[in-house]
Amino acid sequence: MTDKEKRRDLIEWIMVFVIAIGAAVILNGFIVVNARIPSASMENTIMIGDRVFGNRLIYNKEDPMRGDIVIFKFPDDESQLFIKRIIGLPGDTVVIKDGKVYLNDDETALDESSYINGEPYGDFGPFEVPENAYFVMGDNRNNSYDARYWNNTFVYRDKILGKAFVRYFPNPSFIK
């Protein structure tokens, strides 16, 4: 192999790396948000150490909905990313009695049996969710540092980075 061929091969390899890095930056900055789960607050839906992708584009076309699992900038320290489930929508009043969530003075508790881990306890609220904001909680209610405890209780829409949709490590699966 001549020096000219070696240089051409080296340039081709450099171009492959530059394109790969560029694609990763574009994907992570504009299309997906990548998150690692550091705590048990979302168990059994998402486990400690799981890695998930969130869709950054979905809320360009639709509003976040109750039950969505969102990745967002933590209201008390925006340098941290958190992941929780939306419970209260803009305009809602959220009250928690004996661990059960009640919305807007409804006497029937929100049905969370499909995702709650354990039997939640505690009384909190009322929390009146402002416009363009959301009230979020972890699925593992008795072991979740969530909106019930924060100084800045609500997650504003512009701080939501994406909707979690897939766990890619260690056991790939879609998130419900």
Side-chain angles (χ1 to χ4, degrees), residues 59 64-70 84-89 110 112 115 134-137 160:
Y59 296 131
M65 298 176 61
R66 189 177 339 277
D68 286 357
I69 298 174
V70 292
K84 304 286 181 205
R85 188 178 298 272
I86 293 177
I87 302 300
L89 300 175
L110 189 63
E112 301 182 288
Y115 54 81
Y134 299 87
F135 184 83
V136 298
M137 296 171 70
I160 295 175

Side-chain angles (χ1 to χ4, degrees), residues 51-99:
R51 292 208 172 253
V52 300
F53 283 135
N55 180 342
R56 287 185 186 266
L57 302 176
I58 193 163
Y59 296 131
N60 290 342
K61 294 185 177 190
E62 62 186 58
D63 289 329
M65 298 176 61
R66 189 177 339 277
D68 286 357
I69 298 174
V70 292
I71 302 166
F72 56 92
K73 292 180 180 181
F74 175 42
D76 290 345
D77 177 1
E78 291 188 8
S79 69
Q80 297 181 57
L81 296 184
F82 271 39
I83 185 168
K84 304 286 181 205
R85 188 178 298 272
I86 293 177
I87 302 300
L89 300 175
D92 280 348
T93 299
V94 180
V95 175
I96 300 147
K97 295 179 187 171
D98 296 323

